[in-house]
Amino acid sequence: GAVVSQHPSRVICKSGTSVKIECRSLDFQATTMFWYRQFPKQSLMLMATSNEGSKATYEQGVEKDKFLINHASLTLSTLTVTSAHPEDSSFYICSAPEGQKNTEAFFGQGTRLTVV
Amino acid sequence: GDSVTQMEGPVTLSEEAFLTINCTYTATGYPSLFWYVQYPGEGLQLLLKATKADDKGSNKGFEATYRKETTSFHLEKGSVQVSDSAVYFCALSGGGYNKLIFGAGTRLAVHP
């Protein structure tokens, strides 16, 4: 199947700093990517839909200024956690569908963010 | 809105035991249904899927049948292995751009 690569896999940062997470589709183009957040022992919650060439669509309750999403090309979406706080510590994972009509979403490996 | 309900875990089984993880859904229209597996420290991998009623998805000995009448998509495996230990997520998609809605996940632990 298609490959989605997410980087970094783990990051530790200090409170108040910003962290950028990259999500790349390696062998296909993705006009849309999704960003999820997973709390320990809980399910994945959709944060936002990243749209190539336009603004991201955020789910209710997700702070747009806190979680900046940029989808600069057909193969790359980035999530930047700004002014990170310990409560932002979580597992972040992206996914990308291969083509508009394909019903399968391919997931990145995920990023474990720890804010200290 | 659309939602997915999974049986709570953890589920602990001995090797070669039969596995069932229940999943029911609420959705408008005719969603596609998925089972994803997450091994420790890794992202999600698609295990199997079904796109219409009565479809049976299968992979690696796992099976699930799309039951529209009971709005269910239960995951089964006849003989589990230690390597099947993971968290299993049931999910649905309303189509289009694959905006997935996940269940809470069920942790499976298989011991020798």
Side-chain angles (χ1 to χ4, degrees):
Chain A
V3 178
V4 174
S5 177
Q6 191 172 338
H7 177 80
S9 58
R10 291 180 179 271
V11 58
I12 300 173
C13 71
K14 293 183 178 181
S15 289
T17 61
S18 295
V19 174
K20 180 185 285 187
I21 303 170
E22 293 187 347
C23 181
R24 294 181 183 272
S25 55
L26 296 186
D27 49 3
F28 66 102
Q29 294 182 335
T31 56
T32 301
M33 292 186 178
F34 299 95
W35 287 96
Y36 295 84
R37 181 174 181 176
Q38 183 182 31
F39 291 98
K41 299 184 179 181
Q42 295 187 31
S43 188
L44 286 77
M45 300 300 295
L46 180 66
M47 298 175 65
T49 303
S50 174
N51 304 300
E52 189 270 333
S54 64
K55 292 183 179 180
T57 305
Y58 290 83
E59 296 299 302
Q60 192 173 10
V62 178
E63 298 177 60
K64 300 178 182 181
D65 296 332
K66 175 75 169 175
F67 300 100
L68 300 179
I69 291 174
N70 183 28
H71 197 145
S73 75
L74 289 171
T75 59
L76 174 63
S77 175
T78 60
L79 168 68
T80 301
V81 182
T82 63
S83 187
H85 291 283
E87 57 264 30
D88 298 325
S89 299
S90 191
F91 189 71
Y92 295 87
I93 192 165
C94 67
S95 76
E98 184 185 10
Q100 288 192 6
K101 295 184 178 180
N102 194 302
T103 57
E104 181 172 351
F106 296 93
F107 284 81
Q109 305 93 320
T111 298
R112 173 77 58 193
L113 170 63
T114 303
V115 184
V116 297
Chain B
D2 295 355
S3 66
V4 176
T5 302
Q6 277 181 248
M7 63 184 289
E8 289 190 16
V11 174
T12 303
L13 295 173
S14 298
E15 204 165 23
E16 299 184 1
F18 184 85
L19 168 71
T20 299
I21 301 177
N22 290 338
C23 171
T24 57
Y25 67 91
T26 302
T28 55
Y30 303 96
S32 296
L33 301 175
F34 306 84
W35 277 100
Y36 282 86
V37 58
Q38 184 180 32
Y39 297 101
E42 299 184 15
L44 272 70
Q45 300 175 27
L46 179 65
L47 181 59
L48 53 85
K49 67 178 181 182
T51 58
K52 61 182 187 297
D54 299 326
D55 267 2
K56 176 185 283 188
S58 62
N59 185 27
K60 299 180 181 180
F62 291 90
E63 291 183 343
T65 301
Y66 190 142
R67 302 287 189 196
K68 186 172 181 291
E69 63 276 13
T70 55
T71 62
S72 65
F73 193 54
H74 305 321
L75 182 68
E76 297 182 337
K77 186 175 185 181
S79 176
V80 294
Q81 306 299 313
V82 173
S83 57
D84 293 327
S85 299
V87 180
Y88 293 82
F89 292 93
C90 185
L92 68 80
S93 167
Y97 291 103
N98 300 296
K99 184 174 177 177
L100 291 168
I101 295 172
F102 287 88
T106 303
R107 184 174 300 276
L108 170 66
V110 180
H111 56 84

